[in-house]
Amino acid sequence: MNVTIIGTGYVGLVTGVALSHVGHKVTCVGRNKEKIDEINVGIAPFYEPGLEALLKKMRLGAFLQASIEFEKSVLISDVIIIAVGTPTIGNKIDLTSIKKVAIHIGKSLSKDKKYRLIIVKSTVLPTVTEKVVRPLIEKYSKKNIGEFGLCMNPEFLREGNAVEDAIHPDRIVIGAFDEKSGKMARKLYKAFDCPKVITSLSTAEMIKYAANSLFATMISFSNEIANICSSIEGVDVQDVWKGVHLDSRLSPKVPKGRITPGMLSYIQSGCGYGGSCFPKDVKALSHFAKEQKVSHEILKSVISVNESQPKQIISLLLQAIGSAKNKKIAILGLAFKPNTDDLRESPSLIVISELLQRGARVVAHDPVVYSKGKRKELEAFDISYVQTYEEALKKSDAVIVMTSWDEYIQISPSEFIKEMKSAVVIDGRRIYNKEQFIHKGIIYKGVGLSLI
Ligand code: NAD
């Protein structure tokens, strides 16, 4: 099938690569000519493991192209996928891009009589596909639904693992307006060997919010438990989770041991969730529930625990060094999680901003953030950025580990002692062995570790 994808961000481009990988002819439409030219020579505009290699392969086989020509790309398609951003303004979902794209698609569809399927892949609240996207396309195409098809197909890829997730999805959810639309979407995804869940448009929309809110809830719950643990003598939340995780309902017993489900990584304490999805999606759902006049106490608490968690990191630092004023603080990790360069809503940026307000000198390192030209997002912060973590540690008064990159996990206690002015390690992700660090004389503080 000829597939046109609007949006060349994490979701649009990765989906494009995955669909071309199974034999569809994909055109990814963007607005930035420079970015489009780069994609056309196999350069990904952001960091995602495995993406560039597959992109190059798909380009060479002419399965995928990128274009800035919106109408032309729509007119060559059988299926159009909308994958533009849906950020929040305040707590409310911002549908500006979705609306613009729906209008543009409508205008393009008016140019001929061909039936095409439009798929909303962007995360949108229940009823948006039906009540916002559909009427705009109908109005501007001068066609009634039925002359074009409509589906809502939420995306579940995880940044850092996006290519693998898109090529081998756990499930594909297809909210279909009618049978014909659903049938065409099934054909699109025929080559993907996974359960296909066919639902109404609004159920598909809700599945995405329920999934993200569930994971965010587990993280905030784990952080609240960590903060309670810190107040009890001799308790370490890591040991608490070890004991909890071994419940066979969480780690089922199998003949040769235990299964460790991926969900356990969300029942771990740290410095809070970030990224382009959880923060905005939980806020958007909470706001939606408020508008629906439905009680949503859990969602409100999930948000408030998450917003205060970076402050726990600052308070651990202050317990160790007193004041941050004029101290050199090394930050290891800028991205909200390893294997991505995404800085959106990263707890690291919240911690940096708090440190600067307290008069600290901040030196930051991240293994990939700068390689894709993300400097712009950091321009607001008066910090130095260095190319190696050793440089960040050099003569620092304390280090805060904000992202659990493999290369940080490998750092030994002796290295911290060798490089730093005073060996104070704040482990925001609990990646180190506390006994080893304390034994070597490091002042080691971690989330959920008893402060008494
Ligand atoms: P992104 O910001 O990385 O990419 C969005 C892209 O859309 C940008 O490149 C932007 O320039 C482009 N765009 C906006 N308006 C356009 C227009 N009129 N024409 C052409 N391009 C246009 O966003 P993303 O992370 O890819 O997320 C896209 C959607 O998918 C969001 O709704 C998000 O919530 C959802 N989602 C994201 C993830 C993720 O991990 N990033 C996972 C699942 C779902």
Side-chain angles (χ1 to χ4, degrees):
M1 294 168 109
N2 286 312
V3 183
T4 291
I5 301 180
I6 316 295
T8 52
Y10 289 84
V11 169
L13 190 57
V14 173
T15 302
V17 165
L19 289 173
S20 55
H21 181 66
V22 297
H24 295 299
K25 276 227 155 234
V26 175
T27 305
C28 288
V29 180
R31 295 175 297 184
N32 180 329
K33 168 109 176 47
E34 213 177 297
K35 218 164 117 177
I36 292 302
D37 289 345
E38 281 193 351
I39 295 172
N40 278 331
V41 292
I43 298 170
F46 49 86
Y47 175 80
E48 192 57 49
L51 178 61
E52 233 163 58
L54 201 53
L55 178 59
K56 283 198 171 85
K57 200 169 147 195
M58 292 303 108
R59 280 295 302 139
L60 274 176
F63 288 107
L64 184 143
Q65 61 167 343
S67 172
I68 49 164
E69 293 182 83
F70 195 106
E71 185 179 298
K72 193 172 157 202
S73 305
V74 166
L75 291 176
I76 57 165
S77 71
D78 303 306
V79 178
I80 303 145
I81 298 179
I82 303 177
V84 297
T86 47
T88 42
I89 298 185
N91 291 329
K92 210 171 173 229
I93 188 167
D94 175 12
L95 294 174
T96 311
S97 295
I98 289 276
K99 285 181 182 168
K100 270 192 193 153
V101 167
I103 292 170
H104 212 157
I105 290 175
K107 285 181 180 168
S108 308
L109 292 189
S110 74
K111 302 286 156 86
D112 68 16
K113 289 197 157 44
K114 182 177 167 181
Y115 176 94
R116 294 182 181 83
L117 172 67
I118 293 125
I119 296 181
V120 176
K121 191 172 259 304
S122 301
T123 303
V124 292
L125 284 163
T127 72
V128 166
T129 304
E130 168 74 45
K131 294 197 172 150
V132 178
V133 176
R134 174 187 165 183
L136 286 173
I137 296 176
E138 286 188 319
K139 180 175 170 191
Y140 288 91
S141 66
K142 300 189 183 71
K143 287 180 177 173
N144 293 319
I145 193 148
E147 294 174 83
F148 63 89
L150 188 61
C151 281
M152 199 285 146
N153 164 225
E155 180 52 58
F156 299 99
L157 63 76
R158 296 160 297 168
E159 283 178 20
N161 207 52
V163 174
E164 176 61 21
D165 286 347
I167 290 179
H168 301 291
D170 306 332
R171 77 296 208 189
I172 293 173
V173 173
I174 299 170
F177 175 79
D178 56 12
E179 217 180 307
K180 188 172 176 186
S181 307
K183 214 169 150 190
M184 199 157 165
R186 270 178 171 277
K187 189 173 160 201
L188 176 72
Y189 288 118
K190 194 162 182 264
F192 294 88
D193 182 20
C194 67
K196 317 269 163 47
V197 182
I198 311 294
T199 71
S200 67
L201 294 173
S202 290
T203 304
E205 290 162 331
M206 192 62 197
I207 287 172
K208 177 67 189 170
Y209 282 94
N212 276 359
S213 300
L214 172 64
F215 290 119
T217 301
M218 292 200 285
I219 294 171
S220 277
F221 171 77
S222 307
N223 287 333
E224 187 158 281
I225 294 290
N227 299 336
I228 297 171
C229 289
S230 310
S231 72
I232 314 166
E233 190 173 354
V235 174
D236 181 353
V237 77
Q238 295 290 86
D239 299 330
V240 171
W241 292 135
K242 216 181 280 169
V244 172
H245 287 179
L246 284 169
D247 186 311
S248 64
R249 288 167 295 186
L250 294 173
S251 320
K253 291 177 196 156
V254 287
K256 283 192 178 156
R258 297 277 189 146
I259 295 171
T260 307
M263 72 177 268
L264 293 187
S265 66
Y266 296 87
I267 312 177
Q268 285 290 0
S269 309
C271 36
Y273 59 78
S276 65
C277 291
F278 289 2
K280 81 172 174 65
D281 292 347
V282 181
K283 279 182 191 159
L285 184 60
S286 173
H287 190 270
F288 177 73
K290 188 174 165 194
E291 282 182 342
Q292 299 286 106
K293 300 192 171 38
V294 178
S295 160
H296 50 287
E297 298 307 311
I298 292 179
L299 294 177
K300 284 196 270 185
S301 303
V302 168
I303 295 166
S304 99
V305 170
N306 195 60
E307 286 179 346
S308 64
Q309 196 61 12
K311 292 186 197 124
Q312 297 291 331
I313 304 293
I314 298 292
S315 96
L316 291 175
L317 175 78
L318 297 181
Q319 277 159 29
I321 64 169
S323 156
K325 199 168 171 61
N326 296 326
K327 303 262 172 66
K328 177 185 171 183
I329 311 296
I331 294 285
L332 298 191
L334 293 164
F336 77 101
K337 68 172 181 179
N339 294 320
T340 181
D341 59 352
D342 201 338
L343 292 174
R344 289 177 279 188
E345 306 265 353
S346 175
S348 192
L349 302 190
I350 302 170
V351 165
I352 289 172
S353 147
E354 183 70 31
L355 288 172
L356 292 175
Q357 275 176 34
R358 290 171 180 272
R361 281 184 301 124
V362 178
V363 181
H365 172 260
D366 187 282
V368 300
V369 162
Y370 268 64
S371 64
K372 285 288 178 193
K374 279 275 163 70
R375 275 195 164 84
K376 215 166 183 305
E377 288 163 87
L378 293 166
E379 268 168 14
F381 301 108
D382 184 16
I383 63 170
S384 326
Y385 178 82
V386 289
Q387 297 300 322
T388 63
Y389 71 77
E390 290 92 338
E391 281 176 78
L393 293 181
K394 211 165 273 309
K395 297 199 168 51
S396 61
D397 294 283
V399 57
I400 307 180
V401 182
M402 291 299 296
T403 317
S404 53
W405 281 99
D406 277 348
E407 68 172 273
Y408 301 154
I409 297 173
Q410 313 300 331
I411 308 174
S412 68
S414 329
E415 237 183 312
F416 282 113
I417 293 166
K418 189 178 122 218
E419 302 288 357
M420 296 175 72
K421 189 161 126 199
S422 53
V424 175
V425 176
I426 312 299
D427 185 353
R429 297 287 178 184
R430 294 305 307 269
I431 57 176
Y432 298 119
N433 178 321
K434 69 169 188 246
E435 279 87 14
Q436 265 183 20
F437 274 58
I438 294 167
H439 178 72
K440 289 272 184 186
I442 289 177
I443 299 176
Y444 175 85
K445 304 241 174 236
V447 173
L449 190 55
S450 174
L451 296 170
I452 296 167

